[in-house]
Amino acid sequence: MKVFSSWSGGKECALATYKAISQGHEVLYLLNFISEDGGRSRSHGTKASVLALQAEAIGIPLIQVKTSWENYEENFKKVVRELQDRDIEGGVFGDMELEEHREWVERVCSEVGIKALLPLWGIKAEELIEELLKLKFKAIIVATRLEKNFLGKVLDKALVKQISKLGSHPCGENGEYHTFVTDGPIFRKALKVTRGESKKRDNVWFWDISTKVIARGEAPKQSHREPPVIARSPDEIGATKQSRWGW
């Protein structure tokens, strides 16, 4: 099936994309939603330009769209209808256990006539982290409601244990933290992160990073040769599902 992947740049969407490809689906686009000024991702506050470089490193075209939260669902349906004209039949989502998220995704996908794929659904948090690390995905914490010193740390078992001791969900499923993935089996090239400024907004610490692509001569897991596609307004092509907090 030809699908898009709902994209935040973090670990769940990266693992969900990997699983979808492994199951034989063709991921043709990464679908990302940015603030109305075009500067940052709605979900994690990551710079739009950094997400574009991430898509370049993966080798799957990125669709980035300005949208407000108020027009979120309307724009999601609009972009999906546009993508149906490009032979898209389904969407991949990284939700794993929040029922209200699954209900929203399945409802809006059904209303526009595509299939919602949730390859992480029902996987225990500990098992998901173990699989993520076994596959050698590299995820860096870029936003957190927890301690500021978590920013910039690479996710590993020790860090997840530390997060869990604070009473948080191991994967940050309740918004405790968000990650940015810099390498893994879906990447054609790795990303090098440059440390930026740490800022607090609405009781959330954000790590303002920059990146550059590093060639490593490794063949892609799925072949996409066209450059990332960037749409800058809902009139060009729409938006996606809501997050618990964001820009």
Side-chain angles (χ1 to χ4, degrees), residues 10 31 56 68 93 119 121 152 180 185 217-218 222 228 237 241-242:
L31 185 57
E56 178 186 337
S68 66
F93 302 87
W121 190 259
F180 179 80
E218 183 175 309
Q222 177 176 288
I237 200 163
K241 72 183 180 72
Q242 297 186 17

Side-chain angles (χ1 to χ4, degrees), residues 85-120:
D85 293 336
R86 305 184 192 186
D87 300 323
I88 292 297
E89 304 168 88
V92 178
F93 302 87
D95 299 291
M96 54 182 290
E97 63 179 50
L98 293 179
E99 192 61 43
E100 61 269 31
H101 281 215
R102 177 174 183 164
E103 289 174 359
W104 188 91
V105 164
E106 291 183 338
R107 175 179 62 81
V108 294
C109 286
S110 175
E111 288 174 0
V112 293
I114 67 166
K115 185 174 180 61
L117 305 175
L118 293 90
L120 307 186

Side-chain angles (χ1 to χ4, degrees), residues 106-146:
E106 291 183 338
R107 175 179 62 81
V108 294
C109 286
S110 175
E111 288 174 0
V112 293
I114 67 166
K115 185 174 180 61
L117 305 175
L118 293 90
L120 307 186
W121 190 259
I123 299 177
K124 292 181 180 180
E126 295 79 9
E127 293 176 3
L128 189 148
I129 293 292
E130 185 174 349
E131 182 174 9
L132 188 85
L133 297 176
K134 185 177 180 179
L135 290 168
K136 299 189 183 303
F137 277 104
K138 184 177 179 181
I140 299 172
I141 293 181
V142 292
T144 182
R145 290 187 183 276
L146 306 174

